[in-house]
Amino acid sequence: MDSHELAGGTVGTTGADVVAGGATAVISESADDPPDGDIVIRLGDVTKVFPRTDPPAVGGLSLEMARGELTALVGPSGCGKSTTLKMINRLLEPTSGELYVQGVEVRQQPKHVLRRQIGYVIQQIGLFPHRTVAHNIGTVPRLLGWSRADIRARTEELAEQVGLAPEMLGRYPGALSGGQQQRGGVARALAANPPVLLRDEPYSAVDPIVRKQLQDDLLALQHDLHKTIVLVTHDIDEAIKVGDRIVLLNVGGVLEQVGTPAEV
């Protein structure tokens, strides 16, 4: 991934069953369903078909993700959860359907413009190994032309927010623990203050104790920042702990159920 890559149907409001990808998806009715103006990410009948493969990786998926909520995508391998995430920031292009971020269809704007609205934290963390942690965190602000003083101030602010000790900023990623690297990756994703944050199984490479601590960190950070977050995980307990809404997917990106942790 290079530096620049950093930079439909209503779901959950009717209480009725919705047909998605040929299967019936159970949609939980909730008094907390957001009004249309608060929808930040909207997928309408989105399909992804890779060349020479059958069936689709994602088949006819319709979802809405609300402002300030954490939506957890959960399901087995092959259910299309990471593929769905990557279509939101156009690392992968949808084969068909409509996908909106903040009211604009993602293919109606240049990729770099879209990605300035979206922070991205991947499984392998993705910090540039030849750059210090501070330089990593400042990647997107530098691309946006921020002054050195503003970048330094933002880097120090974020390090404090994510729980990264100041002395770690001058180190290279290889000198950090897995948990510290994860915090650095989160800080980099948040550096330009994007309204949307995508997280693709960010805790898969850390041990259970660190994983729990990072989950607690996410809850604390979200309490303060109120970002619209999409989290991919295979762990239903993790989804229940951190998610405001849970989306259960089956193989082929078929939507099975959407609801709050209590409803699911």
Side-chain angles (χ1 to χ4, degrees):
M1 179 179 300
D2 61 27
S3 299
H4 294 279
E5 287 181 326
L6 294 167
T10 300
V11 173
T13 59
T14 66
D17 288 349
V18 174
V19 176
T24 300
V26 180
I27 308 301
S28 303
E29 182 177 321
S30 171
D32 296 326
D33 286 327
D36 285 349
D38 286 334
I39 300 301
V40 174
I41 300 171
R42 186 192 305 270
L43 291 80
D45 200 27
V46 170
T47 297
K48 178 62 181 178
V49 180
F50 290 102
R52 297 179 296 280
T53 62
D54 184 49
V58 176
L61 182 61
S62 295
L63 282 173
E64 292 180 343
M65 303 175 191
R67 189 178 313 280
E69 284 194 345
L70 192 155
T71 300
L73 306 183
V74 190
S77 297
C79 74
K81 52 189 185 292
S82 290
T83 298
T84 299
L85 193 82
K86 291 175 181 177
M87 287 192 287
I88 294 172
N89 67 355
R90 293 186 64 193
L91 285 176
L92 294 173
E93 298 285 3
T95 303
S96 62
E98 296 180 324
L99 204 165
Y100 290 84
V101 174
Q102 299 211 107
V104 180
E105 220 287 335
V106 296
R107 288 160 292 187
Q108 299 302 313
Q109 54 188 311
K111 291 180 180 180
H112 71 277
V113 174
L114 171 69
R115 291 171 185 167
R116 287 174 185 172
Q117 308 168 57
I118 301 172
Y120 187 41
V121 183
I122 61 177
Q123 293 175 350
Q124 298 83 10
I125 302 169
L127 294 177
F128 302 120
H130 59 290
R131 297 180 180 177
T132 65
V133 174
H135 201 77
N136 266 283
I137 294 172
T139 298
V140 176
R142 274 192 303 277
L143 291 173
L144 297 178
W146 290 23
S147 70
R148 289 185 178 181
D150 286 343
I151 293 172
R152 185 183 309 110
R154 180 62 172 159
T155 298
E156 293 172 353
E157 175 189 16
L158 283 167
E160 181 177 358
Q161 281 185 328
V162 302
L164 196 61
E167 59 267 23
M168 300 297 169
L169 294 176
R171 299 184 183 180
Y172 289 87
L176 273 58
S177 69
Q180 290 166 341
Q181 289 185 34
Q182 182 62 228
R183 292 183 175 93
V186 172
R188 183 179 64 183
L190 292 171
N193 197 27
V196 176
L197 184 62
L198 307 180
R199 309 192 66 169
D200 191 358
E201 297 205 56
Y203 311 133
S204 60
V206 298
D207 64 64
I209 294 176
V210 175
R211 185 185 186 101
K212 179 182 181 302
Q213 187 175 23
L214 291 171
Q215 291 169 353
D216 292 341
D217 291 346
L218 172 60
L219 288 170
L221 197 66
Q222 179 66 345
H223 181 268
D224 293 336
L225 300 181
H226 304 290
K227 298 293 183 183
T228 301
I229 300 176
V230 186
L231 171 73
V232 166
T233 179
H234 64 275
D235 184 346
I236 187 64
D237 291 331
E238 179 171 271
I240 290 171
K241 177 177 179 178
V242 304
D244 297 303
R245 288 188 184 268
I246 297 174
V247 176
L248 298 179
L249 298 173
N250 210 335
V251 174
V254 174
L255 179 63
E256 295 288 354
Q257 189 174 0
V258 178
T260 66
E263 292 165 343
V264 170

